[in-house]
Amino acid sequence: MAISNRLTGLAAGVILAAGAASAQQYPEQSITMVVPFAAGGPTDTVARLIAEKMSADLGQQIIVENVGGAGGTLGAGRVAEAEPDGYTMLLAHIGMATSATLYRSLAYDTLNAFDYVGLVTEVPMTVIARQDFEPSDFASMIEYVKANKDTVTLANAGIGAASHLCGMMLMSALDVPLVTVPYKGTGPAMTDLLGGQVDLMCDQTTNTTKQIQGSTVKAYAVTSPERLEIFPELPTAIEGGLDGFEVMIWHGIYTPKGTPAEVNQRLSESLQKALADADIATRFAELGTEPSPAEDATPEALKTKLESEIARWKPVIEAAGVYAD
Ligand code: ASP
């Protein structure tokens, strides 16, 4: 018994030592970064900018894999089940918190299925429409939508997506249900908006800035507490009379639960370097956002954010009584 215990202890020691050695050499191969929405959308844009910088720092390629569907929960589920070896991570947004309540039978337990790397950025949303949508400003859009609630269509990226959350907030503020059209991400939704197949959408500035600047879509309002420097002419939704209509889309990087702490730490340091890069600050500013400060790009800060955001949205969703299932 004593011998077998000693052997078990020795084996554990060997495994721990091997783990420590591999954490020191990490990463030894390419890393997959799962984006739980379609390519070409706002989450994908943020992920690709960050992946490129982290990849240069880590000395290994980071391959962005788009796993869209079910408002981001399919991609998150993929990472929840992946090997916790540091070679799979997830870049996801606020939907990680809202989907924990919106889906009563999620395939993973949000607070227990992941480890944390850090926060990446907080992005405002914009309320936009196809270019030839009749109303010319926020006030007339509100009137028009109320008068045409049976025909106006609202695109989103599925239940749990930021566009879904913002769309729900809009419908609840106007007290009208609209016909919603779900996509695997707002990249493809934007294609349809540009093509005139759908009328309205709420989406992050990381997807809408170029279209707004190029006047290929009509923009009505921003969801940030203050107006944005890049669109000084656009009112906030609150200024437009919708009390409490304020939402910022925070993004974080997660790994599967059980990933060695040293690996999460290494990824976090790499994320902090990426966020401190002047190039990232410039690209983010062009897209209406800014990098999270180094103190937020840590496992602890993301864990705290996720926990507090689940607690913040749970009563709101429960009061609305809207669930994915
Ligand atoms: N903007 C999308 C959302 O609604 C996600 C995406 O396509 O990146 O959450």
Side-chain angles (χ1 to χ4, degrees), residues 150-200:
D150 296 330
T151 53
V152 171
T153 52
L154 176 66
N156 68 36
I159 298 178
S163 47
H164 171 259
L165 176 67
C166 183
M168 293 293 297
M169 290 169 73
L170 182 68
M171 289 190 282
S172 132
L174 304 190
D175 200 20
V176 286
L178 297 176
V179 180
T180 52
V181 186
Y183 294 82
K184 283 194 171 174
T186 45
M190 178 64 90
T191 306
D192 270 11
L193 196 84
L194 293 172
Q197 283 93 0
V198 65
D199 298 322
L200 274 178

Side-chain angles (χ1 to χ4, degrees), residues 37-38 41-44 93 125 157 161-164 184-187 202-204:
F37 294 102
T43 316
D44 183 64
H93 62 31
M125 297 200 99
S163 47
H164 171 259
K184 283 194 171 174
T186 45
C202 243
D203 201 18
Q204 288 102 302

Side-chain angles (χ1 to χ4, degrees), residues 28-44:
E28 295 175 297
Q29 62 184 63
S30 63
I31 301 169
T32 298
M33 179 184 274
V34 172
V35 169
F37 294 102
T43 316
D44 183 64

